[in-house]
Amino acid sequence: MLTDFMWQEHPPATTPAIAACLSEPGSLTERLLASGRRFDVQVLFQSDNTALDQEAVLLGIAPHAVLHARHVLLLLDGIPVVMARSVCRSACPQWSALLDRGSRSLGLTLFGGLPQLVRGPLRFNTLQQPDALHALVQAHSQAEQLPARRCLFTLHDAPLLVSEIFLPELESLA
């Protein structure tokens, strides 16, 4: 599929705990909460940003257009285990308020009280340099390859793309 570039239908081979989280069909937040460890969301960035090429195609905007982005780390016991980038069209009324949530998890909202929300299929990849998503994680992991998944959500015809990059530390904490 043109819009999915190198993203695949099936998860890449990885360690057992990461594979279980990567292929989680429900809320990743709920799965991490069920680990019994302290779960936190650390907001790294939330503002206008430049669309990555694949994001622009999936959101229906021009390449390198301005979009609204939220970058967060999901932590277990204070250790980063997942980095997420959520993007929508700039000043999108359907998503802007939902993304402005401080350190509350977006996953609980996406898998809770929004009956009009449409979730697309999960797509998977193994990220490595020079992928821009891999570069976002470099301050938190030196791993050369990182499993990732993404999903396109639609609310009242407005798309939101959520990409999650799984860090190696998840294996021992999940």
Side-chain angles (χ1 to χ4, degrees):
M1 174 184 243
L2 176 62
T3 57
D4 281 318
F5 297 83
M6 298 303 295
W7 292 77
Q8 305 296 316
E9 205 175 306
H10 302 287
T14 188
T15 61
I18 292 177
C21 290
L22 193 62
S23 60
E24 172 60 53
S27 168
L28 178 61
T29 296
E30 288 179 359
R31 183 178 195 95
L32 295 175
L33 284 167
S35 73
R37 299 189 180 269
R38 188 182 81 246
F39 174 80
D40 294 297
V41 176
Q42 178 184 352
V43 179
L44 301 173
F45 175 85
Q46 183 161 348
S47 190
D48 288 342
N49 200 242
T50 302
L52 305 176
D53 290 341
Q54 296 178 28
E55 293 171 343
V57 171
L58 291 169
L59 295 177
I61 60 177
H64 309 290
V66 173
L67 51 64
H68 185 77
R70 178 178 190 247
H71 299 173
V72 300
L73 284 175
L74 305 182
L75 302 105
L76 291 177
D77 290 344
I79 299 169
V81 294
V82 175
M83 193 263 182
R85 173 176 163 95
S86 302
V87 295
C88 65
R89 295 174 185 147
S90 184
C92 176
Q94 293 87 339
W95 290 112
S96 294
L98 287 171
L99 289 175
D100 187 16
R101 58 193 313 101
S103 62
R104 291 177 298 139
S105 171
L106 180 60
L108 295 176
T109 299
L110 293 176
F111 290 90
L114 294 174
Q116 61 277 40
L117 181 71
V118 176
R119 181 184 186 202
L122 287 171
R123 302 296 287 179
F124 305 92
N125 202 348
T126 300
L127 303 177
Q128 54 193 4
Q129 284 297 353
D131 190 286
L133 284 175
H134 186 282
L136 290 175
V137 175
Q138 284 189 317
H140 308 286
S141 177
Q142 299 305 308
E144 290 184 23
Q145 295 186 338
L146 295 166
R149 71 179 192 175
R150 72 178 183 197
C151 188
L152 188 66
F153 295 86
T154 307
L155 182 62
H156 302 295
D157 296 321
L160 170 77
L161 182 63
V162 178
S163 301
E164 299 163 319
I165 302 106
F166 294 75
L167 306 180
E169 293 74 13
L170 179 60
E171 179 64 27
S172 64
L173 295 171

